[in-house]
Structures are given as C-alpha cells and as structure tokens.
Amino acid sequence: MTNTIHLHGRHYRLPSLPTVVICIDGCDPEYIAQGIADGVCPTIARFAENGFSAIADCVMPSFTNPNNVSIVTGAPPEVHGIAGNYFLDRKTGDEIMMTDARLLIGETLLGLMSQAGVPTAAITAKDKLRKVLGHNMKGICFSTEKVASCTVEEHGISQVEALVGRPAPDMYSGDLSLYVLDAGLALLREQRAQLLYLSLSDYIQHKFAPGAPESNAFLSALDQRLQAFVDAGAIVACVADHGMSDKTGADGKPNIVFLQDILEQHFGAGSARVICPITDPFVRHHGALGSFVRVYAANAQHIPEMLQLIQGLAGVEQVLTGSEAAKAMQLPADREADLVVIAQESYVLGSTHTEHDLSTIGDRPLRSHGGYSEQPIPFLLSHSLTDEYLQRTASTRLRNFDIFDFALNGVTAQLATKEELSLLIPA
Ligand SMILES: [Zn+2]
C-alpha cells in the first residue's frame, strides 16, 4: 500500500500513531488564554509547554462550513469551492443550504486516507456537516445531533449510544460537543479508528464570553478529554473554524446593519438580494446574523453606487466587488456575488429585519463571527514539532487548514519507518 496521500499540492504521511484532529467550533483564542489564566485547562497548558501552541488564521468568511472543509482538504475555498453555509445559485436564483457535497470540488483528506486503508472516523456535532465531511469516506461518519439513527450502511456504525454509554445529547447544549469527543475516544480505545476528525459545535461560545463560568466549565470538560486522548496514545491537534466576538453596543443591544433594507430604500424594492452565508438550520443562538454578507444586484449598473453607499455605513469595515473579494480572500471567483461586505468587530450584517428572528437570540448579548475580527484561532499540538515545521511557523502565516499537515508530517513522534508503518496498518 501507499504510505503517503497527495491532495491539493500537499503530501500527507499515513498516521503511524493514532491521530485526532479536533475543530473546536467558535473557539476564539481568548477562551484558551482566559482558561489557562483561570487554571481550568491544564492539558492545553501542557500542549503549549511540551507540544506546540500558536495563533493561526481561519479562512474568510469566518464561518463553520468553509473552514471545516478547508481543514479536511488542506486548502482555501478557491480550491475546494465551499465559501459559505448558504448560497445563492446565480443561474437559477435559488437559495441553497449546503447540506451535502454537491458544491465540493475534489476530494478530502479523510476520504483519501480511508480509501488508502487507514481506519478513519469523522464525527460532527451538527448533522449539516456530516455529508460533506463524509464525502467518499469508507470509514465511520456521523453527527451527535442524529446519533440515535446511525446505521452501518449509511454511517459505518450503529448503536453509538451504547458505545458512548449515555443517551444522545440535547441539540442545543454543550454536551452535543462533548459527546463528539466521548464517541471519538470510545472508537480510539476500541481501535476502530486510527485517524479521527472531530468537529464540535459553537453553542457555548455564541452564548458565553471567555472566562464566564459556563465557558470555563465547557473548556475544563474539553481539556479532560484531550488528556484522555493523549493517555490513549494519540497525537492530538486542535484548531477552530473561527473565533467569536461580542456584537453589541454600549447599551447591550446588538449592532445590526440590515443591508437589504437599506439598499431597497435607496434603489427600490427588489433591487438587491443580501445573502447571509452564516444561515443554517441551527440558528437559535445567533439569529442568522454574522459579520460577512454577499450582495446580488438586480441591475448591474447599480453596483458602483451600491458599493459607495455601503462604504459609508456605520459598522462596515470593508466592501469589495466579487472579483476583488475572491482574489483577496482566496474564494472561488465564479461563485462570488456582486459585492462582499465585512462588518467591524462589534457589528453584524443582516438582510431585511423581517428575515431575522431576533427573539431566537434570547436574553444574552449577541455573539457571532464571519469577519476579519474572528479570523485568529488557536493552533495546538500535543507533541513537539520537527525543526522543519517549527521553522515554517516562524516564516509563514499559519492557517487552520495546515493542521492535518502538521499533525501527520510535522510531529516528531509520528515519523515512524515504513516497516513500522506496515505493521500498524495492514495492506
Ligand atoms: Zn463554527
């Protein structure tokens, strides 16, 4: 059998040790910094000491799906094609939720590793990611949101609740994420997976700021599981899909720019469609409000004037034409909108006020993501890096989608000989 995988210009060694890559959804580096200061995440503190810890950047827009797909492909959206959770198909005018791999270009590392004979598992909190992460995968792939209905035929596994030892978690809870980790740990201990990708939910981060008792309790529970993975003999690597910021003004009310309302006031009803690519079936905690939107003009002649108008709005950090945005943010140019708008750190952008159900946010201050301000994310490894990879972190911008490369190629402990490798993974 082959002992490297080639994907999008990178070579990946097959794991010689069990390797667990975790995407801690919405884990702004502030949570980790505060957690270490508060003493609630000793394992992560040890990673920083004995392994590797840095701040890296996620891809823009700083949303869940583009970043999860970037992580499992080792490439930015211009390569794999996924630039949002929610799209407008320009040809048909249809608005599409990304729930499968139809828009994915090329393979994922998980798919290729599983096809090369590596026992591979992908577990997500939210079911919306399952199909794209499981694209062409021969291993185990399921979400904890739909854990009770797993079948061997579709998910490569059944009776997950018996495996984990407790019933399926509430969809709106921190346990949805902890359950992902516990299921991964069970698969690792039973030697049913050698390479695991575990993608959590940002339910806690949308609700609670760094240092809040709820945030620290979640981080502590996460940290204990990271140690359990290390104790089970795994190399553990953690990144986030995006950070998280407060999106409220001094009065505690959310800072929202309803962009389609504003454009329609100036250019007439139906003159523009604003798409919020944060939209997903799981919006109870953020009202589908993020800091990045796409604008589609009904009349192309309005675009320069719209750009000018948007540029002058309070709360807007940047507005670019679609082709400028594609170039600047490595997005697929042929799928880009007429205009791309990015909000300042404390603002979110909406479509029309009637399209966003603000009651869904509840009584807590709005926290969300999508902009440049939520690009910094933690990049953690349990084990030390080779000199080559350590040097690379000093000379190039580290991205969350470098994590599999680092975990498989850059960790000293991983570099087993070919012979050792063939013993671990039968051909
Ligand atoms: Zn996310």
Side-chain angles (χ1 to χ4, degrees):
M1 77 186 261
T2 169
N3 59 3
T4 61
I5 293 295
H6 183 245
L7 178 62
H8 300 318
R10 298 194 206 219
H11 290 275
Y12 298 89
R13 297 171 60 96
L14 305 195
S16 55
L17 292 170
T19 303
V20 182
V21 175
I22 301 167
C23 176
I24 313 172
D25 200 316
C27 187
D28 197 276
E30 266 295 298
Y31 287 101
I32 305 278
Q34 192 59 51
I36 289 176
D38 294 342
V40 299
C41 49
T43 310
I44 294 175
R46 269 195 298 281
F47 285 6
E49 221 168 282
N50 308 328
F52 179 74
S53 168
I55 309 263
D57 282 327
C58 73
V59 305
M60 285 290 287
S62 49
F63 291 133
T64 299
N65 291 14
N67 275 284
N68 269 273
V69 178
S70 291
I71 292 166
V72 300
T73 57
E78 67 181 346
V79 174
H80 59 66
I82 306 296
N85 306 352
Y86 193 79
F87 299 86
L88 182 105
D89 183 330
R90 302 197 85 144
K91 282 189 211 106
T92 61
D94 292 340
E95 297 181 17
I96 307 164
M97 194 82 73
M98 195 200 80
T99 53
D100 57 34
R102 256 182 310 163
L103 292 159
L104 178 70
I105 300 163
E107 298 298 322
T108 73
L109 186 60
L110 302 172
L112 295 178
M113 283 283 179
S114 70
Q115 290 162 35
V118 178
T120 304
I123 311 175
T124 75
K126 305 175 192 180
D127 202 61
K128 66 171 184 180
L129 267 174
R130 180 180 59 86
K131 282 189 180 154
V132 69
L133 293 182
H135 180 62
N136 288 344
M137 241 187 89
K138 278 178 149 181
I140 295 168
C141 182
F142 63 93
S143 73
T144 55
E145 183 188 332
K146 301 259 167 81
V147 82
S149 52
C150 285
T151 63
V152 174
E153 296 72 37
E154 192 173 349
H155 306 88
I157 192 167
S158 63
Q159 300 190 320
V160 179
E161 289 166 294
L163 176 80
V164 177
R166 65 181 198 277
D170 183 341
M171 178 167 164
Y172 292 103
S173 72
D175 195 37
L176 193 72
S177 291
L178 300 178
Y179 206 94
V180 171
L181 300 169
D182 289 340
L185 201 51
L187 291 178
L188 182 70
R189 285 177 175 150
E190 293 197 357
Q191 297 185 328
R192 293 174 71 176
Q194 171 89 350
L195 181 66
L196 295 100
Y197 180 61
L198 308 177
S199 186
L200 312 186
S201 125
D202 54 10
Y203 175 76
I204 293 290
Q205 292 84 351
H206 269 290
K207 288 178 92 72
F208 303 105
E214 294 84 351
S215 300
N216 276 355
F218 178 75
L219 193 57
S220 168
L222 168 80
D223 190 84
Q224 287 164 26
R225 285 155 175 93
L226 298 184
Q227 187 59 48
F229 281 114
V230 173
D231 291 343
I235 287 170
V236 180
C238 304
V239 284
D241 53 348
H242 51 78
M244 191 72 71
S245 305
D246 263 316
K247 304 291 181 183
T248 50
D251 58 359
K253 297 215 170 75
N255 283 325
I256 311 172
V257 179
F258 288 110
L259 198 55
Q260 186 168 322
D261 283 342
I262 294 170
L263 292 171
E264 288 189 320
Q265 268 165 26
H266 282 80
F267 298 94
S271 58
R273 180 74 188 116
V274 170
I275 295 287
C276 304
I278 192 174
T279 307
D280 70 17
F282 198 92
V283 296
R284 198 161 97 183
H285 44 312
H286 54 60
L289 290 159
S291 298
F292 177 109
V293 294
R294 298 191 157 100
V295 180
Y296 295 84
N299 179 349
Q301 287 179 336
H302 285 155
I303 296 171
E305 261 182 276
M306 285 182 172
L307 187 144
Q308 234 175 5
L309 172 74
I310 296 167
Q311 223 154 26
L313 296 174
V316 168
E317 177 165 339
Q318 189 179 47
V319 49
L320 298 169
T321 65
S323 57
E324 286 170 346
K327 209 169 156 206
M329 290 177 260
Q330 297 179 284
L331 298 166
D334 57 340
R335 293 179 180 178
E336 208 33 89
D338 294 321
L339 296 170
V340 164
V341 188
I342 295 138
Q344 290 169 0
E345 180 168 5
S346 62
Y347 279 78
V348 286
L349 303 163
S351 174
T352 67
H353 70 281
T354 49
E355 279 183 37
H356 297 271
D357 184 359
L358 298 184
S359 68
T360 59
I361 300 163
D363 52 0
R364 303 208 56 85
L366 177 64
R367 294 174 59 74
S368 195
H369 52 95
Y372 294 120
S373 40
E374 292 82 34
Q375 264 198 296
I377 52 95
F379 189 102
L380 305 164
L381 286 148
S382 57
H383 290 61
S384 60
L385 295 179
T386 62
D387 288 344
E388 183 199 337
Y389 274 74
L390 204 53
Q391 270 168 24
R392 208 204 280 184
T393 65
S395 58
T396 54
R397 180 191 187 195
L398 198 57
R399 308 300 303 270
N400 59 352
F401 59 81
D402 293 324
I403 194 72
F404 271 100
D405 184 1
F406 273 65
L408 293 168
N409 305 323
V411 168
T412 319
Q414 190 78 273
L415 304 182
T417 64
K418 209 171 165 184
E419 290 68 36
E420 287 169 322
L421 203 62
S422 64
L423 287 174
L424 279 163
I425 305 161

